[in-house]
Amino acid sequence: MTVLIAEDTAILRMTMKNILIRFCGITSDCIHEAEDGIQAIKTYNMVQPDIAFMDISMPKINGEIAIKQLLSIDPNAKIIILTGSRDERDVIDCIKSGATDYLLKPLLPKRVQDAIRRLYAATPDLLPPALR
């Protein structure tokens, strides 16, 4: 399973990467990172990840716009929003734009695991063994 983490805060990218490695069984070489919306789109195009974790508030292009652009490239993209915002409108706007799910910060291993499992509920055999 290949994953993209698009998050402008380095410590949060590192936290998410550690959760994916330690609690989800995803190897570090399958995890790609982007620190802004433009880099997220470029990286997505290069690696075609199975899942993209996308922060809403990023420089250059915010998460909502990046989601729309990613879905124009790949209508089947699986995008999970990362947000510290407690404003429901932010999450609703991103879901309306095509995000599949969302995670509130701070990121917790159980929440990340559950979000990935929800994405693959219909095809659990595609999950890494640690999540089955």
Side-chain angles (χ1 to χ4, degrees):
M1 178 174 288
T2 306
V3 175
L4 169 63
I5 303 167
E7 165 64 59
D8 60 319
T9 306
I11 190 76
L12 291 175
R13 284 195 313 273
M14 184 181 72
T15 299
M16 180 58 127
K17 186 173 183 175
N18 287 335
I19 290 171
L20 293 170
I21 292 167
R22 293 184 62 214
F23 298 96
C24 301
I26 299 171
T27 59
S28 62
D29 59 321
C30 291
I31 301 171
H32 304 273
E33 300 178 41
E35 60 186 35
D36 63 56
I38 291 174
Q39 189 179 23
I41 293 164
K42 288 179 183 176
T43 304
Y44 189 96
N45 282 328
M46 287 189 308
V47 300
Q48 295 292 303
D50 299 298
I51 304 172
F53 291 94
M54 181 82 59
D55 186 19
I56 292 176
S57 301
M58 289 188 294
K60 299 184 182 174
I61 295 177
N62 71 29
E64 184 180 355
I65 294 169
I67 290 166
K68 289 177 184 177
Q69 290 187 15
L70 290 179
L71 288 169
S72 72
I73 296 163
D74 179 5
N76 297 313
K78 291 179 173 78
I79 304 167
I80 297 175
I81 294 300
L82 304 176
T83 184
S85 174
R86 300 297 189 239
D87 186 344
E88 287 181 13
R89 288 173 293 163
D90 290 338
V91 173
I92 290 168
D93 289 345
C94 287
I95 297 293
K96 284 181 180 178
S97 295
T100 312
D101 204 345
Y102 71 96
L103 291 169
L104 292 175
K105 298 172 190 173
L107 300 170
L108 300 173
K110 175 90 170 94
R111 290 185 192 160
V112 174
Q113 290 172 322
D114 290 345
I116 295 172
R117 285 184 185 117
R118 279 191 299 275
L119 280 181
Y120 288 93
T123 54
D125 53 309
L126 297 177
L127 286 168
L131 293 175
R132 291 186 193 154

